Amino acid sequence: MSVDGGAVRPAGETGTGTDEPGWEVDPDDEWGVAVVATVGRQLRLRREAVGMRVAEFAAVMKYGEDLVYKIESGKRIPRPEYLEKADEVLGAGGLLAAMREDVAKIRYPKKVRELAKLEAGAVEIGLYSNHNIHGLLQTEEHMRALFEVWLPAHTEEQTERMVAARLARRSVFERSPAPALSFVQEEATLRRPVGGRMVWRRQLERLLELGQLRHVSIQVMPTETEDHFGTGGLIEVLKFSDGTAVGRSDGAFAGRPVTDPKQLRILELRYGMIRAQALTPRESRALIEQMLGES
């Protein structure tokens, strides 16, 4: 369930003819593969219908011919801008541009889409993170710094795709009606200057900014806590308006998402105890402000 999230530009997008307008299709994402294949086929049929060769179309679009072939053969996910321009160039009257919504749904990895869907439907979300600042709280600079030190190293394209996906998930803060969001962060994750001092400062400022939202609670678990109920690792609990819920913890049920009421009660008990042990939101804010002053 967990995947730990301005315009994000795929690597090299400058329109020189050597750039790739989108991302590779995940072969394990059957629905995504089908959507990209359909979009590619419609693009090819429209191009052929107006009598435009690939070379001519690629020149107008300012992309290489091989990249046009990749999109039309369903091997590449086109960006919304590509569809808009193709619609204009081919005189499709909005038919090609209208496919942006379907393409937008598959731009991100399948696991991220599934998590974002859960977050979008939840009325209450509780999150405890002990290794890094939770993805939903991270600034773009912070998340990039984390992805860049991953081993084995991500490609630039993979990094851009993961950053875009994580940024898209932050829309949960802007929902109306807003869900109740509670976070508990280990103090150590806030003191680690990921990305350097300036990136760290902006991350602390972001936490203070989000903590001011009426539906967001951010608590810090002091490092000096002796009897710590969070030693089992990350915990996530999402509750929905129909009374159902889903949860996951690194230290329970093999890390798998669970929906069984008995298993959920265990996760809720652990999360409740963790919140009780942590500093209050007011105390947590004061600590973060202190860190910011010391940085």
Side-chain angles (χ1 to χ4, degrees), residues 137-173:
L137 298 174
Q138 294 172 10
T139 64
E140 181 176 344
E141 295 170 306
H142 185 101
M143 61 183 75
R144 284 184 183 279
L146 288 174
F147 288 138
E148 286 172 0
V149 297
W150 198 270
L151 291 176
H154 295 304
T155 64
E156 189 172 356
E157 177 183 295
Q158 289 173 328
T159 297
E160 294 296 343
R161 190 174 191 183
M162 290 186 293
V163 168
R166 188 166 292 183
L167 287 174
R169 286 175 54 208
R170 297 199 309 195
S171 63
V172 70
F173 291 107

Side-chain angles (χ1 to χ4, degrees), residues 31-46:
W31 181 70
V33 169
V35 169
V36 176
T38 299
V39 171
R41 183 164 55 251
Q42 291 301 315
L43 285 164
R44 176 177 57 80
L45 291 174
R46 185 67 192 184

Side-chain angles (χ1 to χ4, degrees), residues 253-272:
F253 316 116
R256 296 189 301 270
V258 297
T259 56
D260 179 82
K262 292 182 180 179
Q263 296 174 326
L264 284 169
R265 276 197 293 273
I266 292 174
L267 298 185
E268 290 176 353
L269 173 62
R270 292 184 183 179
Y271 185 64

